[in-house]
Structure formats: structure tokens, C-alpha cells
Amino acid sequence: MTERATEAAGSADPGVRADDLEQWLHRYQQMLTIRLFEEEVNELYKSRLMPGLAHQYSGEEAVAVGVCETLRRDDTITSTHRGHGHCLAKGAVVDRMFAELLGKAPGYCRGKGGSMHIADPEGGNLGANAIVGGSAGIATGAALSAKMRGTDQVSVCFFGDGALGQGLIYEVMNMAALWKLPVIYVCENNLYSEYTPSPQVLAGTIRARPEAFGIYTVEVDGQDIGAVYEAAQGLVDRCRQGEGPGFLICNTYRYYGHHVGDINRTYYRSKEEEAYWRTERDPLTLLGSWLQAQGMADAGMLAQIEREVDATVKAGVAFAINAPYPDKSEVDQHVYA
Ligand SMILES: Cc1ncc(C[n+]2csc(CCOP(=O)(O)OP(=O)(O)O)c2C)c(N)n1
Ligand SMILES: [Mg+2]
């Protein structure tokens, strides 16, 4: 990336620093990695190489990348059933991600977690969680731990709008506010919980919920990585300075079904609505256009990044397909915390 950044710096706005440029290209690459990763997930499902189902993050990439780019490696995140994007954005490599999805030994959980239970404590990923809202307690506990140990680590809890129907999140927000814990609750409001439009199951507004606990709340366009990044950075800074928890509402959209098997969706949302988000509100297109308008990149550079990411993702699939399954002798290992 450095070479590319330097190359573009010549034509860039003089106000854009080379390290900024490198970081923005890195964010574009990260978002594209998630997008292409999820396309391969669908192929693996259709070809029956992947056991079970998976929930694609496509369309929501700016949220995970915008937030995780403000974090250090020793900061922690918790994730959801729709978690591939969070894991990749926090630094997971595609080879081990695909291996986990296929149940293979080099996977992040030695193939025993699968799509919905990927964890990487060394990279600060405390784990995806298939229990809707379930990770709120873990993320808040991690923040309490950081505070008690006297570190300035920050804990981020990703969850969907559907998790707002769970009681746990209200219990932990109460504690986080009282004890000024360094935790950020990131609500990915993608307008649906499974096959139900969220307004049918959410009374009042999302914002009113954290504000009832006095938690500092920001709402952003989740398709605009610049807006997500800036808001997340502000919340991270507050946490590090001991000012307590934050709540970030990211308005976004999932392009595909609730999971890979949810093909016919017209009974709960229209094709026109899906087309609108994909053509007018696509986070990658928006970032690509912005980079070009700033003179930070041109179409050729973006195409080159796409070729590189595509090759990496395809190599990751091949790695996972060729990887061994865990040995039968370890069937009862690594399965209890
Ligand atoms: C406690 C619990 N209740 C119900 C489910 C079934 N379920 C799985 S995903 C989901 C909807 C989640 O919606 P949201 O939190 O908005 O996340 P999204 O899928 O939109 O990313 C439900 C109800 C579950 N996994 N856990
Ligand atoms: Mg949702």
C-alpha cells in the first residue's frame, strides 16, 4: 500500500497527508475484502462445501471497518451471528476465516466454532455470538476488566437493531453508565430482524434507549465510512479519557437475505428497496467516489486493489478446502471455556 500511497500523493490535495492516504486506501481494501469474502461464502454454501448456514455482512462494511479502524489491537470487540465483517475488520486473515467456516483445523477455533462462533482473543476478538444480544454482557465485562486493571483499553459491542428487544443490554448499559466503563455499543440498524421490519417490533426510537441511561449517543449514516470513523473515534477518545460509555447508531442495510438460504424476500421487502440501497447507498461506491474526488485514487488504482483482494480471497478459499480437519482425538478439546 505504501508505494501506491506515495504514487497518489503527488496528485492529491496538498492537505492530505501521505499516512492519511495510506489509511484510507487500507480502509477501502478492508471493506472490499469483506465484500468479496461474503461472495465466496455464498459459493461455498451453494456448493455444499460449508456445513450449515451463514449470515452475510454485505452492504454493512463501512460500519465494521469504520469502527475497527479506530481501535488498537489490544482493544476488544464482541460480534454477532452476522460477524464475518467484524472479525476481518479487527484483523482476522481470510485463510483462517474460511478454514473455520469449513470446519478445518487451521480455523480460528480449530474448525469447532464455524461461522457464528469465530473468536480470536489474541487479535482482540472476544467472539461472535449466535444469541441475539448475548455479547452485550461479555463486552461490558471486558470494559469492567480494563477499568479494574487500570489499562486504557476500549471494548466495542456490535449488535443489530433486533437485539434491542433483549433485556440484557439494558442491564449492562445501566452498569456501564454508573461505573463509567470504557465500552461502546454499536447498533447496526439494518431495518430488519430476520424477516420482520424493525418498526413492527421496536417501540419509540433507538436513540431514546441509551439516552435514558445518560449514555452519550451519536447517530450516523452507516454507509459513509468517513462519518462512522469520525463518530467512533470521538467515542473511543471519550472512553480512553475515562468519560464513560458511548452508543453509536449506524443506519445501514444488508444486501442479501437474513442468511444464505433466504432467497425469496419479496414477502417482507421489495426488490426496489434492495436496488435503491445497492445503487444509491453502496458504501464501497461512495468511498471510491470520494477517494477519486479528493485526488487520492483513480479508477485504475481501485481496480488494482480489487484484483489483489480478489486473489487473496480466492487463495483463502483454496487454503481452506485443502486444509485438514482436526484429528478425531481432539473432539472433546477446546469446546469448553
Ligand atoms: C435470543 C435469541 N432470540 C432469537 C434468535 C433468532 N434470531 C437469530 S438472528 C435474529 C434477528 C436478529 O436481528 P438483528 O439483531 O437486527 O440482526 P441482523 O440479523 O439484522 O444483523 C433472530 C431473532 C436468536 N438467535 N437469539
Ligand atoms: Mg437488524
Side-chain angles (χ1 to χ4, degrees):
M1 225 24 106
T2 314
E3 220 170 81
R4 232 188 257 119
T6 317
E7 184 189 310
S11 61
D13 182 316
V16 176
R17 298 197 337 259
D19 54 344
D20 275 351
L21 181 59
E22 190 168 341
Q23 283 171 9
W24 278 111
L25 292 175
H26 172 69
R27 288 166 199 155
Y28 185 82
Q29 181 192 41
Q30 285 288 79
M31 286 168 60
L32 198 54
T33 301
I34 297 170
R35 177 70 56 90
L36 300 187
F37 181 93
E38 296 293 39
E39 292 301 324
E40 293 297 331
V41 166
N42 198 38
E43 293 305 313
L44 289 167
Y45 167 72
K46 287 195 296 185
S47 59
R48 299 185 184 185
L49 285 168
M50 179 182 71
L53 293 167
H55 307 74
Q56 292 160 285
Y57 196 69
S58 317
E60 305 188 18
E61 296 89 350
V63 179
V65 177
V67 171
C68 288
E69 284 285 300
T70 68
L71 301 179
R72 300 192 311 235
R73 188 168 161 82
D74 69 336
D75 290 325
T76 54
I77 65 162
T78 60
S79 174
T80 69
H81 57 284
R82 197 176 303 290
H84 306 160
H86 309 138
C87 300
L88 290 165
K90 191 64 173 67
V93 294
V94 294
D95 300 25
R96 295 189 64 197
M97 286 286 292
F98 280 126
E100 187 59 41
L101 264 54
L102 299 194
K104 301 294 185 75
Y108 276 101
C109 305
R110 292 196 63 74
K112 298 172 187 178
S115 166
M116 281 184 274
H117 302 97
I118 297 173
D120 175 25
E122 283 174 20
N125 179 358
L126 300 184
N129 201 315
I131 306 301
V132 170
S135 68
I138 297 168
T140 309
L144 175 61
S145 159
K147 183 155 186 165
M148 290 177 73
R149 287 179 290 112
T151 77
D152 66 348
Q153 287 164 290
V154 171
S155 168
V156 168
C157 178
F158 289 104
F159 59 96
D161 44 292
L164 296 170
Q166 289 293 101
L168 174 63
I169 191 153
Y170 301 100
E171 296 178 45
V172 295
M173 281 201 294
N174 186 57
M175 292 183 227
L178 281 173
W179 300 337
K180 287 199 162 188
L181 300 183
V183 55
I184 302 170
Y185 302 99
V186 179
C187 179
E188 301 178 321
N189 176 26
N190 64 7
L191 308 178
Y192 294 89
S193 301
E194 288 188 326
Y195 322 103
T196 307
S198 300
Q200 290 180 21
V201 289
L202 280 182
T205 64
I206 295 178
R207 175 183 273 277
R209 291 161 159 80
E211 286 184 345
F213 297 96
I215 292 180
Y216 183 72
T217 302
V218 186
E219 180 167 359
V220 293
D221 175 359
Q223 307 308 88
D224 176 353
I225 186 171
V228 176
Y229 178 80
E230 199 180 323
Q233 187 66 69
L235 294 173
V236 167
D237 290 346
R238 288 183 85 255
C239 279
R240 293 215 203 281
Q241 286 154 16
E243 290 172 37
F247 195 104
L248 180 60
I249 304 166
C250 297
N251 295 312
T252 185
Y253 197 76
R254 64 165 154 82
Y255 284 174
Y256 295 113
H258 173 58
H259 55 65
V260 281
D262 176 21
I263 307 295
N264 300 312
R265 303 184 282 274
T266 47
Y267 73 95
Y268 72 90
R269 69 185 200 185
S270 69
K271 287 193 168 154
E272 290 73 23
E273 179 183 291
E274 293 189 357
Y276 164 76
W277 282 88
R278 292 184 78 121
T279 55
E280 306 293 324
R281 308 289 309 128
D282 181 61
L284 270 160
T285 308
L286 293 174
L287 177 56
S289 303
W290 182 80
L291 288 169
Q292 292 186 65
Q294 298 294 310
M296 287 174 153
D298 58 29
M301 281 169 67
L302 299 183
Q304 175 61 20
I305 295 176
E306 181 155 359
R307 278 193 292 277
E308 288 169 12
V309 170
D310 187 51
T312 303
V313 169
K314 289 215 162 68
V317 173
F319 169 84
I321 289 173
N322 294 322
Y325 287 105
D327 193 78
K328 279 183 200 156
S329 64
E330 59 168 270
V331 69
D332 59 354
Q333 291 170 18
H334 316 113
V335 286
Y336 297 109

